[in-house]
Amino acid sequence: MIGTLRLDGDHQAVRLERTIAAPPAEVWDALTNPERIPRWLADIRSGEVGPGGEFELLMDDEAMEIARCTVTVFEPPRVFEVRWDYTGEPASVLRLELHDNGPDTRLVLDHRGVPNARGYGAGWHAHLDLLEAVATGAERPRWTDRFSAVRPEYEKLTIG
C-alpha cells in the first residue's frame, strides 16, 4: 500500500501503514535488534540501539551518507522513535508504532521534517518490504528493485 505525504511546517512528512503477519514482539525484534537491522535498513556503524541510545547507520557506503539516530522513545514492543540526522539534511523525527492486530501487527511509520517526502516515501516503502520479510522469514527482495518499482507511484502523489 502506498503511503501518504503531507506538509510539515517548512518541510514535508511521510506516513506508511503496513500489516505484517507476525506478532508485535517479533516485529519489534526485527525493528530494533542490532543484528537484524542491517537486513532491512542499513549497517550500524557505531553506537547503541536502546533507551536513550545513539547510533549511526551507514546508508550509502560509496557516498558516505550517514543517518545519526538519537533514540527519543523506546517502549517495547510498541513505540520506537528517533531523531534522524541524515548527511546534508536538517534533523527530522522518525516514529514507528506497532499495534497488536490479533495474529498480525499493524506497523505505522511516520517520518516528519523530511526535505523530500516522495523520495523518503519510496525509500521507506522499500525498507518496510524488507522489514516484513525479516520479521516473517520470507525471502527478502532487493531494496533497489523495490525502490525502483514504487518510486513512480510516489512521484505521482500530491503533498498536502
Side-chain angles (χ1 to χ4, degrees):
M1 171 188 252
I2 298 299
T4 58
L5 312 179
R6 67 184 187 283
L7 293 175
D8 181 44
D10 292 337
H11 297 20
Q12 301 171 13
V14 60
R15 180 182 173 97
L16 291 98
E17 294 190 30
R18 178 84 50 107
T19 299
I20 299 176
E26 179 60 29
V27 178
W28 179 265
D29 188 68
L31 182 68
T32 62
N33 183 329
E35 294 178 9
R36 297 177 84 184
I37 291 171
R39 296 182 59 211
W40 71 272
L41 184 55
D43 288 334
I44 298 176
R45 190 168 111 161
S46 64
E48 291 280 326
V49 179
E54 294 181 2
F55 58 98
E56 289 186 352
L57 298 169
L58 182 58
M59 303 303 290
D60 181 343
D61 58 351
E62 290 180 21
M64 287 303 296
E65 292 181 359
I66 304 290
R68 289 176 180 81
C69 301
T70 303
V71 179
T72 56
V73 180
F74 193 88
E75 298 174 2
R78 299 180 316 106
V79 183
F80 182 61
E81 183 179 284
V82 299
R83 176 186 161 115
W84 180 269
D85 287 301
Y86 197 91
T87 303
E89 297 179 358
S92 57
V93 176
L94 171 64
R95 182 177 180 93
L96 296 118
E97 297 179 5
L98 304 180
H99 302 273
D100 192 337
N101 195 21
D104 302 329
T105 301
R106 184 171 61 87
L107 180 146
V108 178
L109 177 149
D110 191 71
H111 197 157
R112 302 181 315 273
V114 300
N116 177 355
R118 289 180 182 98
Y120 265 88
W124 281 123
H125 189 118
H127 282 300
L128 292 184
D129 287 350
L130 273 66
L131 174 65
E132 183 172 0
V134 169
T136 62
E139 184 176 338
R140 277 185 308 146
R142 289 187 54 225
W143 183 87
T144 53
D145 292 344
R146 291 302 304 137
F147 180 80
S148 295
V150 299
R151 179 68 192 242
E153 295 303 312
Y154 282 89
E155 288 299 324
K156 295 176 192 173
L157 294 178
T158 301
I159 300 172

